[in-house]
Amino acid sequence: MPKKRVTLADVARLAGLSTTAASMILTGRPDTRLSADAHAKVHEAATTLGYRPNVAARALRTDKSRSIAFISDYVATTRFASGLIRGALAGAEDAKHVMLVLETGGEPAREIQAVEAALDRQVDGLIFAAMRAREVFVPDIAINVPTVMLNSTSARFPLSVLPDEYEGGRTAVRLLVEAGVSESVVLVGHNAEEEAGLFRSESISRRFAGIRDEMGARGLRFDAELSCWNWEPDQGYALTKAQLQKGTPRGLLCLNDRLAFGAYQALTEAGLAIPDDVALVSFDNDELASYLRPGLTTIGLPHQEMGRRAVNLLFAGQKAKPQMVPMPTLIRGSLPAAH
Amino acid sequence: MPKKRVTLADVARLAGLSTTAASMILTGRPDTRLSADAHAKVHEAATTLGYRPNVAARALRTDKSRSIAFISDYVATTRFASGLIRGALAGAEDAKHVMLVLETGGEPAREIQAVEAALDRQVDGLIFAAMRAREVFVPDIAINVPTVMLNSTSARFPLSVLPDEYEGGRTAVRLLVEAGVSESVVLVGHNAEEEAGLFRSESISRRFAGIRDEMGARGLRFDAELSCWNWEPDQGYALTKAQLQKGTPRGLLCLNDRLAFGAYQALTEAGLAIPDDVALVSFDNDELASYLRPGLTTIGLPHQEMGRRAVNLLFAGQKAKPQMVPMPTLIRGSLPAAH
DNA sequence: GGCCCCTGCTAAAACCATTTAGCAAATGCT
DNA sequence: AGCATTTGCTAAATGGTTTTAGCAGGGGCC
């Protein structure tokens, strides 16, 4: 049963030529002087035998494996991960590469193992991805292949792909204002310490910066800025509920959809109507956002596009430049229609 | 800069032995007769040089690549995918293997390409995963490595890993009854045609079977069975809302958390309290379930455990058997506490 | 005819590890 | 002492591809 795989030598034999000829023809070398007849015979032999090159042998010779590695801290913890992976996978497939996925849990020891495992397999490129955009620890190992930081940054590898949070922040404010909501707006999730860059990611501080600048440019101020550590639904619920004691805001700018989700719960419980009593805008385009009633208007994280661009950068060579990927705007019912 | 990699020959030279000796010692062959001194010298040489075997060379010789392939229809479409991947990844890491992830979108052409790409790379095992448990099309290519069906089945490969939906179904009913909710219960999502096995997955029909059997065993009947095609929140909302016109049920058994989510919305809107007016149980342990207030009691899909077991099966050899993985019960506030 | 160049192809080395077959020296046995 | 066995190790083949170096033959040129 274990019929041996067809090798290049088999193809060459059937074509009546040398393996050299077969190799050159099948790999499509440009400047070879082999006859058209030879080309035809080799291709025919290859297809009739169903020849598939042995990647290991090729890798051994050329140091190229037609594969890349995707090394991330967590793949499952956040529902975003899969967007990054999916985009990267699509990019890899287009480039006829295969993708190794490795998870490190953010532990240095596992990071080292992951990088070594990848390098051992002669990968043609490395993608370091973080589930929350941040400076990532890259193990101090000799890395001799193109490397891209995805949703993360590193002093060592300047090539990164990040969401354009600054513009995203500005857009969120603009959406509110254009919907007629500019007075009595509350920011949910803001945390002064975090904004100082001490505790959360750089990209979140760019989100803040965009929001602040756009507010400033329009001469607006938030009625209140509610802080919390975890941007989870229960925090959104608690903060909103407490805020409602002091009066009903006209709008809520939530720093992510989970906070907004909690806010919805508090608002509904208080008998307030969305968007007529209170309007909301948020960030991330979490799956949740479309499930809510009315749907949550949100500035999405373009994870899939980011994943794809990361792979493209890997293969872009010299002309590769860091990328800021625009965040899409998802208009749903949580904002009143502009009149 | 491109310092050449350390090879086995380098190690052997430093140790003052042959590559044969070095190879045997480093691969830990059992019945070799090399001296303890030789062992020491080789190991020392290897660590001082930082030797790492070239996987391609090894694969070429041994046909083993210390890698497996995870081939799935969709990796990102459902938030469950990542659980399967994560579990498989952990299993692979434990076995010192690396995992290739390939996505096919369920398209036969891409399936073939994926399998060939994997086989070309001498993977030591194949996992076919489907995001919804179902019979999966496996391309008709010679596959000469261990293969496991994950959350899916195939006539060709009997080794599968599936959630134990039958027991899960029974448990859901039991939970309701034990919480004192046995009269006036409505089933949300049931679809007769699907139950006939025509349109949805086999594992869902086992879920139905478990529910039906447990109800029958206790002499109970549903007050109503509400059908819909898509188990999405808006369907849950619509079905529940319509049902409320006819009276308020004591309990809802929802076939997944998204339906339950929609049901929550309808119930809240109608001013009904959970769980005092209406109790709910559901399936999947979607991320949503913990965000709801009160939390949704649900029978979870053990995706991570399933992924891990699939990998283990790959390496289990002869004694590998198909697996039914128990579904965990997540008790939250949507059921009244048993008195 | 002698020389050079071009055309069309191939032999053989290289990549790096594993593994088979086997050699030389030491030991054991009678 | 003589022979067989064990011990401790190595030479060389092997896996499948790419690539360097070069060969044979034909034609052009003077």
Side-chain angles (χ1 to χ4, degrees), chain A residues 160-166 206 306 309 321-327:
Chain A
S160 60
V161 177
L162 296 167
D164 190 351
E165 293 274 4
Y166 182 80
R206 282 201 305 273
M306 289 167 65
R309 290 206 195 181
K321 288 209 175 53
Q323 310 257 322
M324 290 283 234
V325 184
M327 298 175 75

Side-chain angles (χ1 to χ4, degrees), chain A residues 8 20 23 51 58 61:
Chain A
L8 186 62
T20 307
S23 171
Y51 170 69
R58 181 177 282 178
R61 191 69 236 264

Side-chain angles (χ1 to χ4, degrees), chain A residues 11 42-51:
Chain A
V11 173
V42 167
H43 279 121
E44 195 199 319
T47 55
T48 62
L49 293 178
Y51 170 69

